[in-house]
Amino acid sequence: MSVFEKRPGMALAAGALALTAVAGSGLCALYLSGTPFVASEQVSVEEKASESAAAKPIFAEIRDMPAEKVLSAALAEPPKGWRPSGTLQRSASQPVPYSCAVNDTAPSVALSRLFSVDGDRVQVVTAAYTAGLGAEVMRQQVEEARSCAGSAVAINESKVGGKDPGVEAHRVFTYKGSSAAQVVSFRRGDVLAFLVGAPDAPLSRIARQLDDHLAAGLKDVCVDQKSVAADASRSPWSAAGYKPYMVKDKVAVRDVPLPTVPAGSGIEAVPLPGPKIKVEYVQPAADPYYAVWPPMPKQMDVPEPPKSPAKAAVTETSIRILAEDKQGPGCGWAFTGMSPMVFDAKAAEQTNAERRREASQKLTAGTQQWQQSVLDYWTAYDKYGQAADDYKDYAKEVRKVNKAWAAIGAEWDAYWVSYAAYESALGVRAQFFRDQENAEWSYLNALAQCEADNRRAAEQPKPKPKPEPEDSDDKDKDEDKEEPKEEEQEQPEVRQVDCDSAIGVPAILDWAPPPVPSEPAPPADPRPENRR
């Protein structure tokens, strides 16, 4: 049986609310145009007190709801310093960009009132949704804000600033032509509050004042003020789809002991995990270009210890079982006058019993698997111990071979040092002979040049004697007769030299060459003759 089947009055009330919500959305104007939010029905606090329940039975039932009482009281008796500028309005529309219907879900209660707070004009809209839908509706409103506002209205999202009011809060600035407005919204449970004001109004601070005021009123009537969108699935009107209410339940089976080692298996039962075996990795030396001995043992990998099972079997687990949702999600069923979801205790118990049975079977199978995994671990640990001992022997042999190879390598290093010195000595001796040969050629060339110079000197004619000077009178006469001839330059007399004395013999020709170095012998082959 549905909620409306159990309470026909609620069906009429919901219908009335839907109609008034539609009417209100057509009458309410944006703050952008400067017009306050006004609904089709305006009721002052005084009129509310004098209304007759018999005259309007549906609204009499609605106004008995905790949601109606809390929201009406919050706006009728606002925080200190707030001055009402208008009457309380019912079926109020929510402000742009949150004015679009979300999944055809309308609030059960929607009130609005205009206030003056510290000189700032602030429109406040409060809305209470049915159990669990508040968080889901606000999430979708935020996601669809731009599409809801339309292309004519620009939106700029902003941080609230300071501590967020409620359990979640949002702040946007809307722009249409030359008009601009600021909207701050927040939520507690299934109650959504919207504050609309000028862009420079301190709405974040004002929203925190309203939040403190609402929280006090919701304290005793809202089941969960910190509800989340996922809680909406407990409601049959959730956009995400209905999921039955479930709670955690524990299922346990008896403890099982450690298994018994099979007789004659030779396996030792060790703690879980087994004692740590210290195994040090050893790096075999690389094969050199020279002969070495003894040979390196075949390479082994460091054994890895097996993964240990848990110290004890898992004998307890948590499952989710069907339960009667007496209070409801969010602010609860009673907050908006809803009846709890119909709960078939008998059918639920059968389902829960099956879930417990399946969980118990799973736990029992798990304990059996745990015992087998312990036996497998003990077997693997025994093999691991043997592999660790084998690796330790291998590591010992590798270190021994590495040491022997290092000694052979040191001999080869010494050999190459000696061989380098030998080649250097050969180079010095060869250079000496080159220098001696060059010196001999230079000496012989110098002697040949000297002897050639002596021969040219002997072949040149001897210079003529210098003529006596003539008298001056005769000289003048000769000058009148002919021009004087250019005097011939006097050639110096070339003298012969003693070449053997002038050109000394290079000393290097008398030096003895460096001795012939002895070539070092390479290290002997350490391998046995039958293994070479």
Side-chain angles (χ1 to χ4, degrees), residues 237-399:
W237 292 280
S238 170
Y242 173 71
K243 294 180 181 178
Y245 178 60
M246 291 188 289
V247 296
K248 287 185 177 181
D249 188 34
K250 288 185 177 180
V251 177
V253 296
R254 65 179 182 84
D255 293 334
V256 293
L258 289 168
T260 303
V261 177
S265 63
I267 299 174
E268 180 184 359
V270 296
L272 302 176
K276 186 176 181 180
I277 300 176
K278 187 177 181 180
V279 180
E280 293 184 1
Y281 172 73
V282 64
Q283 177 65 51
D287 290 336
Y289 62 89
Y290 47 81
V292 289
W293 191 262
M296 188 67 70
K298 185 178 180 181
Q299 187 171 358
M300 290 181 61
D301 294 330
V302 180
E304 294 291 337
K307 186 177 180 181
S308 172
K311 293 185 178 181
V314 177
T315 58
E316 185 177 297
T317 187
S318 293
I319 63 171
R320 297 186 68 79
I321 60 173
L322 299 173
E324 185 176 5
D325 198 355
K326 296 180 180 180
Q327 293 183 315
C331 285
W333 311 118
F335 185 66
T336 55
M338 294 179 65
S339 296
M341 292 296 295
V342 176
F343 181 69
D344 189 337
K346 185 176 180 180
E349 183 54 36
Q350 291 177 350
T351 302
N352 294 341
E354 179 62 22
R355 292 182 179 180
R356 292 190 184 96
R357 185 186 64 80
E358 290 177 356
S360 179
Q361 288 179 345
K362 222 171 169 184
L363 285 173
T364 301
T367 58
Q368 295 172 354
Q369 180 60 39
W370 175 80
Q371 288 186 319
Q372 183 59 49
S373 65
V374 171
L375 288 174
D376 294 341
Y377 172 74
W378 287 344
T379 302
Y381 185 85
D382 183 69
K383 293 180 179 179
Y384 165 67
Q386 295 175 7
D389 292 340
D390 293 342
Y391 188 84
K392 288 179 180 179
D393 294 339
Y394 161 77
K396 183 178 180 181
E397 183 65 21
V398 168
R399 294 188 186 96

Side-chain angles (χ1 to χ4, degrees), residues 495-506:
R495 297 179 181 180
Q496 293 186 351
V497 297
D498 184 0
C499 293
D500 291 335
S501 300
I503 302 173
V505 178

Side-chain angles (χ1 to χ4, degrees), residues 126-306:
T126 57
Y129 285 84
T130 56
L133 298 188
E136 185 179 68
V137 168
M138 174 161 273
R139 182 182 67 182
Q140 291 178 305
Q141 283 182 338
V142 172
E143 292 175 353
E144 300 171 4
R146 294 187 183 278
S147 61
C148 178
S151 59
V153 179
I155 297 176
N156 182 24
E157 298 178 358
S158 175
K159 292 184 178 180
V160 174
K163 182 181 177 181
D164 285 354
V167 295
E168 65 171 308
H170 307 277
R171 182 188 187 191
V172 296
F173 291 89
T174 57
Y175 306 91
K176 183 178 181 181
S178 60
S179 299
Q182 176 187 180
V183 181
V184 173
S185 58
F186 67 89
R187 178 183 65 84
R188 280 193 173 275
D190 296 317
V191 175
L192 278 60
F194 305 88
L195 293 88
V196 186
D200 58 349
L203 288 192
S204 298
R205 175 179 59 81
I206 297 173
R208 284 189 285 272
Q209 295 176 3
L210 178 61
D211 176 48
D212 294 339
H213 193 57
L214 271 176
L218 293 172
K219 181 179 179 181
D220 297 326
V221 294
C222 181
V223 176
D224 184 10
Q225 295 187 34
K226 297 181 179 181
S227 60
V228 295
D231 296 335
S233 62
R234 291 161 59 185
S235 169
W237 292 280
S238 170
Y242 173 71
K243 294 180 181 178
Y245 178 60
M246 291 188 289
V247 296
K248 287 185 177 181
D249 188 34
K250 288 185 177 180
V251 177
V253 296
R254 65 179 182 84
D255 293 334
V256 293
L258 289 168
T260 303
V261 177
S265 63
I267 299 174
E268 180 184 359
V270 296
L272 302 176
K276 186 176 181 180
I277 300 176
K278 187 177 181 180
V279 180
E280 293 184 1
Y281 172 73
V282 64
Q283 177 65 51
D287 290 336
Y289 62 89
Y290 47 81
V292 289
W293 191 262
M296 188 67 70
K298 185 178 180 181
Q299 187 171 358
M300 290 181 61
D301 294 330
V302 180
E304 294 291 337

Side-chain angles (χ1 to χ4, degrees), residues 423-492:
E423 287 189 325
S424 178
L426 287 178
V428 170
R429 180 178 169 83
Q431 186 62 44
F432 172 81
F433 287 119
R434 285 192 294 271
D435 294 343
Q436 194 178 53
E437 183 180 4
N438 292 336
E440 184 178 6
W441 277 104
S442 298
Y443 171 67
L444 294 175
N445 289 337
L447 284 177
Q449 183 64 42
C450 180
E451 292 173 354
D453 292 342
N454 285 340
R455 286 194 297 271
R456 284 196 298 274
E459 294 173 355
Q460 289 183 358
K462 295 182 179 180
K464 296 178 179 182
K466 189 175 182 181
E468 295 292 333
E470 298 179 358
D471 293 337
S472 60
D473 295 338
D474 295 339
K475 185 177 180 182
D476 293 338
K477 294 178 180 179
D478 292 339
E479 289 178 353
D480 294 337
K481 295 179 181 179
E482 58 181 8
E483 293 181 1
K485 294 182 179 179
E486 189 175 324
E487 295 184 0
E488 296 180 358
Q489 291 185 353
E490 184 179 352
Q491 296 293 331

